[in-house]
Amino acid sequence: MRNFCFLIALVLGFVSAATAADPFVSRGFVPLPADVEIGAMSAVAVDGADRIYVLHRGEPPLLVLDGQHRLVAGWGKGEFKTPHGLRVDRQGNVWVTDNALHIARRYSREGVVTMTLGQDGKAGTGATGLRSPDDLVFDSRGFIYVADAGNKRIAKFDAEGKYVAEWGGGGKEPGKFSTAHGLAIDSMDRIYVADRGNNRVQVFSTDGKFLAQFKDGGNAFGLLVTTDGLIVADGDAHRLTLLDLDGKLLGSWGTPETLKLPHLMAQGTDGTIYVTEVNGKRIQMFQRVK
């Protein structure tokens, strides 16, 4: 009897530990308009008013939902080839990368194009061109950092879109990339790069100095800095991993049944984590386990 009780306690302890290891719990999915043919889900962004911006590979590719998840706008029909990354800056501008057109565009909140980085439909490099840009972030001074995946670099621009610098190149060494895919930035302006293909996250200063690399997140597709740490989306393993900002593993969750190729992510003002699923064609919401 004692051995049986010990075995039961061991099993219950394992289940409890396994449950506790999941740092976030699903809140379900963002309801999307029934009359929109949703394509592969690429990116999501949330502004200060908790409007949710959705980027997918259907028409129109950019949807705007209010805080109650009601559709309030949609634009970009016929303007994209392969929409990929999506951000809202501090001024409320909406930025989108298109890695087939080799550009990053800035839109007003009304959907008017106000800036383009790169040459529309033409791959390039150096100061004037991009090649398959995947994501972008902004630092506290307004500089723009583009994950220029095809050129295996991070390209830096000022707030007016003027080229400033770049770093990277192809390779496995620290500071090099297989594919600079997803980006995140923290309150100290440290830039986190999802080095997809090299199975790591690399961390840089704003002048491109290599600071660290983290390998516990798997093959990193998307990144998100939150108040709890860095969330890494591994699209190959269909898993999300939480690391602290020094790279320590805090937990992971997700399976091919519950996360269908997690990609780029965003966080709402209430702490909700929004995760796009490319194959699931949906946005799943998560909350921190208390």
Side-chain angles (χ1 to χ4, degrees):
M1 176 64 71
R2 180 178 298 177
N3 289 342
F4 176 77
C5 292
F6 176 77
L7 180 61
I8 292 296
L10 201 63
V11 171
L12 289 175
F14 174 79
V15 171
S16 175
T19 302
D22 291 345
F24 287 82
V25 62
S26 177
R27 281 187 52 209
F29 305 94
V30 174
L32 297 171
D35 58 346
V36 175
E37 186 176 349
I38 301 297
M41 190 64 61
S42 187
V44 59
V46 184
D47 68 13
D50 269 334
R51 283 180 291 262
I52 301 171
Y53 297 80
V54 177
L55 187 67
H56 70 109
R57 293 169 191 167
E59 296 287 2
L62 208 156
L63 308 174
V64 187
L65 311 177
D66 66 14
Q68 286 71 50
H69 300 162
R70 297 173 300 206
L71 180 69
V72 295
W75 70 74
K77 187 174 182 178
E79 296 179 12
F80 294 90
K81 194 170 182 180
T82 308
H84 197 278
L86 173 67
R87 301 283 176 175
V88 179
D89 67 21
R90 295 184 181 186
Q91 291 71 44
N93 299 301
V94 181
W95 292 77
V96 180
T97 65
D98 188 317
N99 59 18
L101 293 180
H102 312 293
I103 55 172
R105 285 197 189 106
R106 185 182 71 187
Y107 288 86
S108 69
R109 281 181 54 182
E110 295 70 37
V112 177
V113 177
T114 57
M115 184 186 295
T116 300
L117 303 178
Q119 302 175 62
D120 199 338
K122 182 179 179 182
T125 189
T128 59
L130 299 171
R131 184 184 297 272
S132 301
D134 279 345
D135 201 2
L136 73 167
V137 291
F138 321 98
D139 71 16
S140 60
R141 296 184 296 164
F143 286 95
I144 307 159
Y145 302 83
V146 178
D148 192 14
N151 286 317
K152 302 181 185 296
R153 66 172 181 168
I154 303 300
K156 180 178 180 179
F157 301 85
D158 68 16
E160 304 305 317
K162 181 181 177 181
Y163 171 87
V164 175
E166 65 180 79
W167 70 85
K172 298 180 180 294
E173 306 88 351
K176 303 293 186 180
F177 304 111
S178 172
T179 301
H181 190 266
L183 297 177
I185 191 164
D186 67 18
S187 61
M188 299 178 65
D189 280 343
R190 291 177 296 204
I191 299 166
Y192 301 78
V193 182
D195 188 6
R196 179 177 169 180
N198 277 335
N199 289 29
R200 64 186 177 185
V201 176
Q202 297 197 67
V203 190
F204 299 89
S205 65
T206 55
D207 60 0
K209 179 182 177 183
F210 172 81
L211 301 176
Q213 62 179 350
F214 308 153
K215 296 188 176 182
D216 281 334
N219 195 18
F221 282 50
L223 302 174
L224 179 67
V225 170
T226 74
T227 52
D228 296 297
L230 178 71
I231 298 178
V232 184
D234 182 339
D236 286 342
H238 308 281
R239 181 180 64 226
L240 299 172
T241 298
L242 179 66
L243 309 174
D244 71 16
L245 297 186
D246 293 318
K248 179 182 177 181
L249 178 64
L250 301 178
S252 62
W253 70 104
T255 67
E257 290 73 37
T258 60
L259 278 167
K260 299 181 180 181
L261 208 166
H263 202 242
L264 304 184
M265 302 170 283
Q267 185 171 28
T269 59
D270 66 350
T272 299
I273 306 299
Y274 297 87
V275 180
T276 59
E277 300 179 39
V278 174
N279 291 347
K281 298 182 181 181
R282 62 192 187 184
I283 302 169
Q284 191 163 178
M285 299 178 285
F286 292 91
Q287 280 189 331
R288 187 72 160 103
V289 175
K290 302 299 183 184

